[in-house]
Amino acid sequence: MTAAGHDIAARQLYRDALGQSPRNGALFNSAGNFLFSLDDHQGALAYFEEAVRLAPRDMEALLNRALALSRLDRSGEALAGLMEGEAAFRTYARYWAVRASIEREAGLIVDASVSYDRCLLLDPGHQRARHGRARISLERGEVDAVNQFERLLSSQQGDAHAWLGYAQALDRDGQSDRALEIGLALNQQAPGWTDALQFVAELHWARGDTDGFSRPYALAARQRPDDKALILAWCEALAGVDRHAEAAVIAGDGANRLSDAQDLRLAEAVYAGSAGDDEHADRIFASLAIQDTQRCLHEARHRLRLRAPDHADRLLSQVLDQQPDSIPAWALRDLAWRLMDDPRSVWLHGQDGLVQLRSADMPDEAMTHIVDLLHQLHDQGSTPLGQSIRAGTQTRGALFDRIEPDIALLSQHVERMLQTYRVALPPPDPTHPLLRHRDRDWTVTGSWSIRAQRAGHHNEHIHQQGVISSAFYLVLPRIGVNEACDLPGALELGRSPRDLRLNLPPLRVIEPVVGHCALFPSTLYHGTRPFSQGERMTIAFDVALKR
């Protein structure tokens, strides 16, 4: 019998047993664990719910229900259930470990930190909690992150994830040579681990090795020539620094060599088109067998590049029928509608109030402290691969989760600013990608700072993690007498991405003001104008729906 056959038989055995023992909470919990192991989280949740109903003081059933809810992107419900059980289970380390992991997945880093600390008070040797707490110390900028990872590794020498976290902490603290040594060792021991490969590639890039930064991927691919995930990660790293033609060749070589490699062939088409080889991309799209939403999304970009907006719009409709909140699909649809002179483009991005420039009303002293702190962080910052910034650095971790009081104050002011933005939005509209969520609960997800040096700019891009994007201005470039453009460093909203070669102008240009924040729909492509003198430092964050 195949593995699938065994799974079907096991499901039936559980159904039969539960039919005979319908009040056995432990049996429902066991059945839920089985379905959870098969990634059937919805089915598992039904069993866990019944287990909790039958045995409300069974901690394992309560924790399992929370984990299933979290896997279904219902972390708010998961945490509410855990909080209800806190009085009964607060003396159990496992309760706090599970709660911390769900809080961390939900982006509640401060709450997760407290929960991990409570777990470790009850069980100082709890390895998962020690690892989770060390990761948070790195993400929040705590000074003892290196020490926390060293304590973790003293009893977890074989934990590759702990070693990677240790290397990242060392790099943050300026010990990049030691960080690179550890990263290279991880590459040798686990050549298919793309997280470690990306870390080493970024270290090489930060050191100025812009030609050979992707060498770790090439070496790993020699050892694992059939690893499609590795090949795709290698291509993504190259495309992230605009080396699309190389990425297309690597994807194509993999597709030629491997069977069942339609995903590699799709990647070849994507990168060939971005590199300007439209005919090659067109031939691949004509022969592709896959017809999923990813193919439709990428082919829509290709059709836009060929100036066939009606064809692109039909493909994007297929994507939005299945994924109505797809940020990339709405962003591309805006370009298609503008090429077609479709009035719906005004409805999508032209309504008054969708784009706003608002003051954060931060005290001057706090602003000064934040700027000083961010300069320190940027001096230790990374040069991220695959991001929109060119000639600049990005801070590590979630900025608003850091421990400094002025950052916490800024986060509070941002929350108030978002409420002011919400009030000034157009009325709710159930068909609009932002206005359908106008009155939902929002949360800030992801926050970071970018410092661009001379000639630094952002390529046109979108953020896919939220419904609202932002640019909060801290330091602005000086305006030179011979600037090549008006408003150097300004934010452009709606300019078409350069690789599409459409030359659609921006819908709006935002003149930056220190202490002010531009807020706009995440479905708007945005980039910045280059500048010749000084520097530009901003904070960016995304606003998503609370889960």
Side-chain angles (χ1 to χ4, degrees), residues 477-508:
R478 298 190 301 275
I479 300 178
V481 294
N482 295 315
E483 288 287 356
C485 64
D486 294 331
L487 300 178
L491 174 67
E492 295 187 334
L493 301 175
R495 183 185 290 279
S496 56
R498 298 169 202 189
D499 76 286
L500 292 182
R501 304 188 294 278
L502 299 175
N503 298 318
L504 286 173
L507 296 170
R508 183 164 173 180

PDB file of all heavy atoms in Angstrom, residues 477-508:
ATOM      1  N   PRO A 477      18.232  64.851   1.278  1.00  0.00           N
ATOM      2  CA  PRO A 477      19.447  65.279   0.564  1.00  0.00           C
ATOM      3  C   PRO A 477      19.445  66.772   0.302  1.00  0.00           C
ATOM      4  O   PRO A 477      18.390  67.412   0.236  1.00  0.00           O
ATOM      5  CB  PRO A 477      19.381  64.485  -0.740  1.00  0.00           C
ATOM      6  CG  PRO A 477      17.930  64.211  -0.943  1.00  0.00           C
ATOM      7  CD  PRO A 477      17.348  64.030   0.433  1.00  0.00           C
ATOM      8  N   ARG A 478      20.629  67.315   0.156  1.00  0.00           N
ATOM      9  CA  ARG A 478      20.757  68.719  -0.241  1.00  0.00           C
ATOM     10  C   ARG A 478      20.488  68.840  -1.744  1.00  0.00           C
ATOM     11  O   ARG A 478      20.774  67.920  -2.510  1.00  0.00           O
ATOM     12  CB  ARG A 478      22.152  69.251   0.078  1.00  0.00           C
ATOM     13  CG  ARG A 478      22.488  69.215   1.569  1.00  0.00           C
ATOM     14  CD  ARG A 478      23.781  69.966   1.851  1.00  0.00           C
ATOM     15  NE  ARG A 478      24.913  69.399   1.119  1.00  0.00           N
ATOM     16  CZ  ARG A 478      25.637  68.371   1.559  1.00  0.00           C
ATOM     17  NH1 ARG A 478      25.330  67.802   2.712  1.00  0.00           N
ATOM     18  NH2 ARG A 478      26.663  67.919   0.859  1.00  0.00           N
ATOM     19  N   ILE A 479      19.956  69.934  -2.137  1.00  0.00           N
ATOM     20  CA  ILE A 479      19.650  70.171  -3.558  1.00  0.00           C
ATOM     21  C   ILE A 479      20.832  70.877  -4.199  1.00  0.00           C
ATOM     22  O   ILE A 479      21.180  72.001  -3.826  1.00  0.00           O
ATOM     23  CB  ILE A 479      18.372  71.004  -3.723  1.00  0.00           C
ATOM     24  CG1 ILE A 479      17.184  70.269  -3.094  1.00  0.00           C
ATOM     25  CG2 ILE A 479      18.116  71.289  -5.202  1.00  0.00           C
ATOM     26  CD1 ILE A 479      15.878  71.033  -3.165  1.00  0.00           C
ATOM     27  N   GLY A 480      21.471  70.206  -5.146  1.00  0.00           N
ATOM     28  CA  GLY A 480      22.612  70.783  -5.831  1.00  0.00           C
ATOM     29  C   GLY A 480      22.180  71.744  -6.928  1.00  0.00           C
ATOM     30  O   GLY A 480      21.061  71.681  -7.435  1.00  0.00           O
ATOM     31  N   VAL A 481      23.073  72.632  -7.312  1.00  0.00           N
ATOM     32  CA  VAL A 481      22.731  73.647  -8.319  1.00  0.00           C
ATOM     33  C   VAL A 481      22.553  73.024  -9.701  1.00  0.00           C
ATOM     34  O   VAL A 481      21.898  73.602 -10.571  1.00  0.00           O
ATOM     35  CB  VAL A 481      23.819  74.741  -8.374  1.00  0.00           C
ATOM     36  CG1 VAL A 481      23.840  75.531  -7.070  1.00  0.00           C
ATOM     37  CG2 VAL A 481      25.196  74.137  -8.655  1.00  0.00           C
ATOM     38  N   ASN A 482      23.135  71.866  -9.927  1.00  0.00           N
ATOM     39  CA  ASN A 482      23.041  71.239 -11.250  1.00  0.00           C
ATOM     40  C   ASN A 482      22.309  69.901 -11.185  1.00  0.00           C
ATOM     41  O   ASN A 482      22.664  68.951 -11.873  1.00  0.00           O
ATOM     42  CB  ASN A 482      24.449  71.027 -11.836  1.00  0.00           C
ATOM     43  CG  ASN A 482      25.152  72.336 -12.112  1.00  0.00           C
ATOM     44  OD1 ASN A 482      24.562  73.257 -12.664  1.00  0.00           O
ATOM     45  ND2 ASN A 482      26.423  72.416 -11.703  1.00  0.00           N
ATOM     46  N   GLU A 483      21.297  69.814 -10.341  1.00  0.00           N
ATOM     47  CA  GLU A 483      20.543  68.567 -10.232  1.00  0.00           C
ATOM     48  C   GLU A 483      19.916  68.214 -11.577  1.00  0.00           C
ATOM     49  O   GLU A 483      19.401  69.092 -12.290  1.00  0.00           O
ATOM     50  CB  GLU A 483      19.451  68.688  -9.170  1.00  0.00           C
ATOM     51  CG  GLU A 483      19.961  68.711  -7.737  1.00  0.00           C
ATOM     52  CD  GLU A 483      20.459  67.355  -7.263  1.00  0.00           C
ATOM     53  OE1 GLU A 483      20.345  66.382  -8.017  1.00  0.00           O
ATOM     54  OE2 GLU A 483      20.978  67.289  -6.141  1.00  0.00           O
ATOM     55  N   ALA A 484      19.940  66.913 -11.879  1.00  0.00           N
ATOM     56  CA  ALA A 484      19.413  66.459 -13.179  1.00  0.00           C
ATOM     57  C   ALA A 484      17.890  66.417 -13.199  1.00  0.00           C
ATOM     58  O   ALA A 484      17.294  66.301 -14.256  1.00  0.00           O
ATOM     59  CB  ALA A 484      19.978  65.076 -13.507  1.00  0.00           C
ATOM     60  N   CYS A 485      17.238  66.478 -12.039  1.00  0.00           N
ATOM     61  CA  CYS A 485      15.782  66.407 -12.021  1.00  0.00           C
ATOM     62  C   CYS A 485      15.250  67.346 -10.942  1.00  0.00           C
ATOM     63  O   CYS A 485      15.973  67.761 -10.039  1.00  0.00           O
ATOM     64  CB  CYS A 485      15.298  64.980 -11.765  1.00  0.00           C
ATOM     65  SG  CYS A 485      15.755  64.332 -10.137  1.00  0.00           S
ATOM     66  N   ASP A 486      13.975  67.688 -11.053  1.00  0.00           N
ATOM     67  CA  ASP A 486      13.322  68.465 -10.013  1.00  0.00           C
ATOM     68  C   ASP A 486      13.090  67.574  -8.795  1.00  0.00           C
ATOM     69  O   ASP A 486      12.900  66.356  -8.913  1.00  0.00           O
ATOM     70  CB  ASP A 486      11.980  68.998 -10.521  1.00  0.00           C
ATOM     71  CG  ASP A 486      12.149  69.999 -11.647  1.00  0.00           C
ATOM     72  OD1 ASP A 486      13.192  70.678 -11.663  1.00  0.00           O
ATOM     73  OD2 ASP A 486      11.249  70.085 -12.498  1.00  0.00           O
ATOM     74  N   LEU A 487      13.100  68.192  -7.627  1.00  0.00           N
ATOM     75  CA  LEU A 487      12.817  67.482  -6.372  1.00  0.00           C
ATOM     76  C   LEU A 487      13.665  66.218  -6.227  1.00  0.00           C
ATOM     77  O   LEU A 487      13.145  65.103  -6.158  1.00  0.00           O
ATOM     78  CB  LEU A 487      11.332  67.121  -6.282  1.00  0.00           C
ATOM     79  CG  LEU A 487      10.340  68.282  -6.304  1.00  0.00           C
ATOM     80  CD1 LEU A 487       8.912  67.761  -6.262  1.00  0.00           C
ATOM     81  CD2 LEU A 487      10.600  69.227  -5.154  1.00  0.00           C
ATOM     82  N   PRO A 488      14.986  66.328  -6.205  1.00  0.00           N
ATOM     83  CA  PRO A 488      15.821  65.136  -6.028  1.00  0.00           C
ATOM     84  C   PRO A 488      15.473  64.420  -4.719  1.00  0.00           C
ATOM     85  O   PRO A 488      15.241  65.050  -3.695  1.00  0.00           O
ATOM     86  CB  PRO A 488      17.245  65.702  -5.990  1.00  0.00           C
ATOM     87  CG  PRO A 488      17.085  67.142  -5.628  1.00  0.00           C
ATOM     88  CD  PRO A 488      15.787  67.570  -6.231  1.00  0.00           C
ATOM     89  N   GLY A 489      15.428  63.091  -4.775  1.00  0.00           N
ATOM     90  CA  GLY A 489      15.064  62.297  -3.611  1.00  0.00           C
ATOM     91  C   GLY A 489      13.571  62.159  -3.401  1.00  0.00           C
ATOM     92  O   GLY A 489      13.139  61.491  -2.465  1.00  0.00           O
ATOM     93  N   ALA A 490      12.767  62.777  -4.284  1.00  0.00           N
ATOM     94  CA  ALA A 490      11.318  62.747  -4.106  1.00  0.00           C
ATOM     95  C   ALA A 490      10.757  61.348  -4.349  1.00  0.00           C
ATOM     96  O   ALA A 490      11.345  60.525  -5.056  1.00  0.00           O
ATOM     97  CB  ALA A 490      10.653  63.750  -5.044  1.00  0.00           C
ATOM     98  N   LEU A 491       9.588  61.096  -3.762  1.00  0.00           N
ATOM     99  CA  LEU A 491       8.884  59.825  -3.921  1.00  0.00           C
ATOM    100  C   LEU A 491       7.962  59.898  -5.131  1.00  0.00           C
ATOM    101  O   LEU A 491       7.138  60.815  -5.239  1.00  0.00           O
ATOM    102  CB  LEU A 491       8.067  59.526  -2.661  1.00  0.00           C
ATOM    103  CG  LEU A 491       7.154  58.303  -2.676  1.00  0.00           C
ATOM    104  CD1 LEU A 491       7.979  57.021  -2.742  1.00  0.00           C
ATOM    105  CD2 LEU A 491       6.257  58.294  -1.443  1.00  0.00           C
ATOM    106  N   GLU A 492       8.114  58.956  -6.037  1.00  0.00           N
ATOM    107  CA  GLU A 492       7.245  58.874  -7.217  1.00  0.00           C
ATOM    108  C   GLU A 492       6.280  57.705  -7.049  1.00  0.00           C
ATOM    109  O   GLU A 492       6.707  56.571  -6.835  1.00  0.00           O
ATOM    110  CB  GLU A 492       8.070  58.697  -8.483  1.00  0.00           C
ATOM    111  CG  GLU A 492       8.959  59.879  -8.808  1.00  0.00           C
ATOM    112  CD  GLU A 492       9.632  59.741 -10.160  1.00  0.00           C
ATOM    113  OE1 GLU A 492       9.826  58.588 -10.616  1.00  0.00           O
ATOM    114  OE2 GLU A 492       9.969  60.778 -10.751  1.00  0.00           O
ATOM    115  N   LEU A 493       4.997  57.989  -7.172  1.00  0.00           N
ATOM    116  CA  LEU A 493       3.956  56.977  -7.037  1.00  0.00           C
ATOM    117  C   LEU A 493       3.318  56.708  -8.393  1.00  0.00           C
ATOM    118  O   LEU A 493       2.823  57.636  -9.044  1.00  0.00           O
ATOM    119  CB  LEU A 493       2.877  57.441  -6.050  1.00  0.00           C
ATOM    120  CG  LEU A 493       3.346  57.748  -4.628  1.00  0.00           C
ATOM    121  CD1 LEU A 493       2.202  58.308  -3.799  1.00  0.00           C
ATOM    122  CD2 LEU A 493       3.914  56.502  -3.974  1.00  0.00           C
ATOM    123  N   GLY A 494       3.359  55.442  -8.816  1.00  0.00           N
ATOM    124  CA  GLY A 494       2.672  55.060 -10.042  1.00  0.00           C
ATOM    125  C   GLY A 494       3.519  55.018 -11.284  1.00  0.00           C
ATOM    126  O   GLY A 494       3.011  54.668 -12.359  1.00  0.00           O
ATOM    127  N   ARG A 495       4.801  55.353 -11.199  1.00  0.00           N
ATOM    128  CA  ARG A 495       5.650  55.196 -12.388  1.00  0.00           C
ATOM    129  C   ARG A 495       5.817  53.708 -12.675  1.00  0.00           C
ATOM    130  O   ARG A 495       6.028  52.909 -11.770  1.00  0.00           O
ATOM    131  CB  ARG A 495       7.012  55.841 -12.181  1.00  0.00           C
ATOM    132  CG  ARG A 495       7.902  55.755 -13.437  1.00  0.00           C
ATOM    133  CD  ARG A 495       9.293  56.295 -13.204  1.00  0.00           C
ATOM    134  NE  ARG A 495       9.320  57.743 -13.037  1.00  0.00           N
ATOM    135  CZ  ARG A 495       9.299  58.619 -14.029  1.00  0.00           C
ATOM    136  NH1 ARG A 495       9.215  58.177 -15.286  1.00  0.00           N
ATOM    137  NH2 ARG A 495       9.340  59.912 -13.795  1.00  0.00           N
ATOM    138  N   SER A 496       5.730  53.322 -13.932  1.00  0.00           N
ATOM    139  CA  SER A 496       5.847  51.904 -14.284  1.00  0.00           C
ATOM    140  C   SER A 496       7.273  51.410 -14.057  1.00  0.00           C
ATOM    141  O   SER A 496       8.236  52.147 -14.269  1.00  0.00           O
ATOM    142  CB  SER A 496       5.442  51.677 -15.740  1.00  0.00           C
ATOM    143  OG  SER A 496       6.208  52.483 -16.609  1.00  0.00           O
ATOM    144  N   PRO A 497       7.445  50.151 -13.629  1.00  0.00           N
ATOM    145  CA  PRO A 497       8.784  49.595 -13.416  1.00  0.00           C
ATOM    146  C   PRO A 497       9.613  49.636 -14.697  1.00  0.00           C
ATOM    147  O   PRO A 497       9.104  49.432 -15.800  1.00  0.00           O
ATOM    148  CB  PRO A 497       8.500  48.150 -12.985  1.00  0.00           C
ATOM    149  CG  PRO A 497       7.122  48.179 -12.440  1.00  0.00           C
ATOM    150  CD  PRO A 497       6.386  49.201 -13.240  1.00  0.00           C
ATOM    151  N   ARG A 498      10.884  49.880 -14.532  1.00  0.00           N
ATOM    152  CA  ARG A 498      11.746  50.075 -15.698  1.00  0.00           C
ATOM    153  C   ARG A 498      11.835  48.836 -16.565  1.00  0.00           C
ATOM    154  O   ARG A 498      11.942  48.928 -17.789  1.00  0.00           O
ATOM    155  CB  ARG A 498      13.140  50.514 -15.228  1.00  0.00           C
ATOM    156  CG  ARG A 498      13.108  51.829 -14.501  1.00  0.00           C
ATOM    157  CD  ARG A 498      14.394  52.176 -13.806  1.00  0.00           C
ATOM    158  NE  ARG A 498      14.128  53.141 -12.727  1.00  0.00           N
ATOM    159  CZ  ARG A 498      15.061  53.764 -12.040  1.00  0.00           C
ATOM    160  NH1 ARG A 498      16.331  53.523 -12.282  1.00  0.00           N
ATOM    161  NH2 ARG A 498      14.728  54.607 -11.084  1.00  0.00           N
ATOM    162  N   ASP A 499      11.795  47.652 -15.952  1.00  0.00           N
ATOM    163  CA  ASP A 499      11.953  46.442 -16.757  1.00  0.00           C
ATOM    164  C   ASP A 499      10.754  46.202 -17.661  1.00  0.00           C
ATOM    165  O   ASP A 499      10.839  45.426 -18.620  1.00  0.00           O
ATOM    166  CB  ASP A 499      12.205  45.222 -15.855  1.00  0.00           C
ATOM    167  CG  ASP A 499      10.952  44.749 -15.167  1.00  0.00           C
ATOM    168  OD1 ASP A 499      10.513  45.420 -14.216  1.00  0.00           O
ATOM    169  OD2 ASP A 499      10.413  43.704 -15.572  1.00  0.00           O
ATOM    170  N   LEU A 500       9.616  46.870 -17.394  1.00  0.00           N
ATOM    171  CA  LEU A 500       8.459  46.728 -18.284  1.00  0.00           C
ATOM    172  C   LEU A 500       8.562  47.625 -19.514  1.00  0.00           C
ATOM    173  O   LEU A 500       7.825  47.430 -20.483  1.00  0.00           O
ATOM    174  CB  LEU A 500       7.168  47.045 -17.523  1.00  0.00           C
ATOM    175  CG  LEU A 500       6.780  46.052 -16.426  1.00  0.00           C
ATOM    176  CD1 LEU A 500       5.463  46.446 -15.790  1.00  0.00           C
ATOM    177  CD2 LEU A 500       6.698  44.630 -16.974  1.00  0.00           C
ATOM    178  N   ARG A 501       9.427  48.629 -19.460  1.00  0.00           N
ATOM    179  CA  ARG A 501       9.708  49.507 -20.606  1.00  0.00           C
ATOM    180  C   ARG A 501       8.433  50.182 -21.141  1.00  0.00           C
ATOM    181  O   ARG A 501       8.269  50.362 -22.345  1.00  0.00           O
ATOM    182  CB  ARG A 501      10.427  48.725 -21.712  1.00  0.00           C
ATOM    183  CG  ARG A 501      11.703  48.045 -21.240  1.00  0.00           C
ATOM    184  CD  ARG A 501      12.492  47.450 -22.377  1.00  0.00           C
ATOM    185  NE  ARG A 501      11.822  46.354 -23.042  1.00  0.00           N
ATOM    186  CZ  ARG A 501      11.809  45.095 -22.602  1.00  0.00           C
ATOM    187  NH1 ARG A 501      12.430  44.791 -21.465  1.00  0.00           N
ATOM    188  NH2 ARG A 501      11.192  44.146 -23.268  1.00  0.00           N
ATOM    189  N   LEU A 502       7.516  50.540 -20.237  1.00  0.00           N
ATOM    190  CA  LEU A 502       6.270  51.191 -20.634  1.00  0.00           C
ATOM    191  C   LEU A 502       6.369  52.714 -20.589  1.00  0.00           C
ATOM    192  O   LEU A 502       5.593  53.413 -21.259  1.00  0.00           O
ATOM    193  CB  LEU A 502       5.122  50.751 -19.709  1.00  0.00           C
ATOM    194  CG  LEU A 502       4.796  49.264 -19.702  1.00  0.00           C
ATOM    195  CD1 LEU A 502       3.736  48.955 -18.656  1.00  0.00           C
ATOM    196  CD2 LEU A 502       4.321  48.813 -21.085  1.00  0.00           C
ATOM    197  N   ASN A 503       7.291  53.212 -19.762  1.00  0.00           N
ATOM    198  CA  ASN A 503       7.503  54.657 -19.636  1.00  0.00           C
ATOM    199  C   ASN A 503       6.258  55.413 -19.196  1.00  0.00           C
ATOM    200  O   ASN A 503       6.038  56.572 -19.586  1.00  0.00           O
ATOM    201  CB  ASN A 503       8.029  55.251 -20.952  1.00  0.00           C
ATOM    202  CG  ASN A 503       9.377  54.671 -21.332  1.00  0.00           C
ATOM    203  OD1 ASN A 503      10.251  54.496 -20.488  1.00  0.00           O
ATOM    204  ND2 ASN A 503       9.544  54.345 -22.605  1.00  0.00           N
ATOM    205  N   LEU A 504       5.425  54.774 -18.392  1.00  0.00           N
ATOM    206  CA  LEU A 504       4.287  55.483 -17.825  1.00  0.00           C
ATOM    207  C   LEU A 504       4.792  56.415 -16.723  1.00  0.00           C
ATOM    208  O   LEU A 504       5.523  55.990 -15.829  1.00  0.00           O
ATOM    209  CB  LEU A 504       3.267  54.498 -17.237  1.00  0.00           C
ATOM    210  CG  LEU A 504       2.425  53.721 -18.245  1.00  0.00           C
ATOM    211  CD1 LEU A 504       1.595  52.664 -17.525  1.00  0.00           C
ATOM    212  CD2 LEU A 504       1.517  54.662 -19.029  1.00  0.00           C
ATOM    213  N   PRO A 505       4.404  57.680 -16.748  1.00  0.00           N
ATOM    214  CA  PRO A 505       4.912  58.636 -15.752  1.00  0.00           C
ATOM    215  C   PRO A 505       4.255  58.400 -14.389  1.00  0.00           C
ATOM    216  O   PRO A 505       3.237  57.695 -14.291  1.00  0.00           O
ATOM    217  CB  PRO A 505       4.504  59.988 -16.335  1.00  0.00           C
ATOM    218  CG  PRO A 505       3.258  59.685 -17.100  1.00  0.00           C
ATOM    219  CD  PRO A 505       3.466  58.312 -17.699  1.00  0.00           C
ATOM    220  N   PRO A 506       4.816  58.991 -13.348  1.00  0.00           N
ATOM    221  CA  PRO A 506       4.175  58.845 -12.036  1.00  0.00           C
ATOM    222  C   PRO A 506       2.810  59.511 -12.007  1.00  0.00           C
ATOM    223  O   PRO A 506       2.570  60.518 -12.691  1.00  0.00           O
ATOM    224  CB  PRO A 506       5.153  59.519 -11.079  1.00  0.00           C
ATOM    225  CG  PRO A 506       5.961  60.440 -11.933  1.00  0.00           C
ATOM    226  CD  PRO A 506       6.049  59.788 -13.278  1.00  0.00           C
ATOM    227  N   LEU A 507       1.915  58.951 -11.208  1.00  0.00           N
ATOM    228  CA  LEU A 507       0.623  59.580 -10.995  1.00  0.00           C
ATOM    229  C   LEU A 507       0.735  60.752 -10.033  1.00  0.00           C
ATOM    230  O   LEU A 507      -0.061  61.700 -10.082  1.00  0.00           O
ATOM    231  CB  LEU A 507      -0.366  58.554 -10.421  1.00  0.00           C
ATOM    232  CG  LEU A 507      -0.713  57.373 -11.326  1.00  0.00           C
ATOM    233  CD1 LEU A 507      -1.493  56.329 -10.549  1.00  0.00           C
ATOM    234  CD2 LEU A 507      -1.513  57.850 -12.532  1.00  0.00           C
ATOM    235  N   ARG A 508       1.729  60.645  -9.137  1.00  0.00           N
ATOM    236  CA  ARG A 508       1.905  61.712  -8.148  1.00  0.00           C
ATOM    237  C   ARG A 508       3.347  61.708  -7.674  1.00  0.00           C
ATOM    238  O   ARG A 508       3.964  60.637  -7.553  1.00  0.00           O
ATOM    239  CB  ARG A 508       0.951  61.503  -6.967  1.00  0.00           C
ATOM    240  CG  ARG A 508       1.009  62.612  -5.923  1.00  0.00           C
ATOM    241  CD  ARG A 508      -0.186  62.558  -5.004  1.00  0.00           C
ATOM    242  NE  ARG A 508      -0.050  63.520  -3.911  1.00  0.00           N
ATOM    243  CZ  ARG A 508      -0.947  63.688  -2.947  1.00  0.00           C
ATOM    244  NH1 ARG A 508      -2.045  62.941  -2.949  1.00  0.00           N
ATOM    245  NH2 ARG A 508      -0.748  64.565  -1.984  1.00  0.00           N
TER     246      ARG A 508
END
